[in-house]
Amino acid sequence: MLEEIKKTAAFIDARTQQFRPEAGIILGTGLGDFAEQIDVKYALEYKDIPGFPVSTVEGHKGRLIFGLLEGRRVVAMQGRFHYYEGYAMTQVTFPVRVMKLLGIGCLFVSNASGGINTSFRVGDLMIITDHINLMPNPLIGPNLAELGPRFPDMHNCYDRELIARATAIAERERIKLQYGVYVGGTGPTFETQAEYRYFKAIGGDAAGMSTVPEVIVARHMGIPVFGVSVITNCGLSDEAGDHEDVQRQGRKAGQKMAVLFREMVKGL
């Protein structure tokens, strides 16, 4: 696996003339339009990158974008991979491993999620302060000791300094923020109301089908992480889950997320 990661990173380095991004960004469902904020220098289709899976979910365009955002070099995943697509966890998290070798010093993750906290409303941005993992752990199997320890600590896996910076930016830009714990499940079914009640009972504020594996792997490699959930539906309501509506709500709230991410990258 390590040799495959190195091979892929070397391929990308050659195609991007060793662009060396400072930050990585993972764009979730309905949030791919954020890529339009980036002054693109290179764009690689996932299907053309050795070792990369291919996005199969509507709303995930499947491109790795290299460019400038507020004068900083970034690499953005316009679409991610999910366990429910049938990929192994090593495949789901493979791009994060590669981004580390490409040079990123921090990782920004975003997702569309269902609100559990009854004070949340559709369109809110929730800063992820912690997570509960209900998926297979991506570190199961032989440890890649060259990249990180066998038993990585997950205390403060969402960087407190980055959260404080986001709070200050939101106050200045008059963006309302929520804060909470993200529950990561396998999907692809939207959760039952009983499951949402269970998630609430164990301390969750929002639930989704991604993010947690990528964060675990990033922390395994010592990469600071900042995460945002866009609340696209309220899980405890009687409304049925709808992927098209999730995408639609994600695009609307994504405008606020774009301001937040731009300003945070600017301050790196």
Side-chain angles (χ1 to χ4, degrees), residues 186-220:
T186 65
T189 53
F190 287 107
E191 294 78 8
T192 68
Q193 288 181 300
E195 287 169 335
Y196 270 117
R197 290 194 296 270
Y198 168 65
F199 294 165
K200 183 178 181 181
I202 62 174
D205 294 290
M209 309 170 191
S210 67
T211 302
V212 173
E214 297 147 332
V215 172
I216 290 173
V217 165
R219 293 305 303 136
H220 176 247

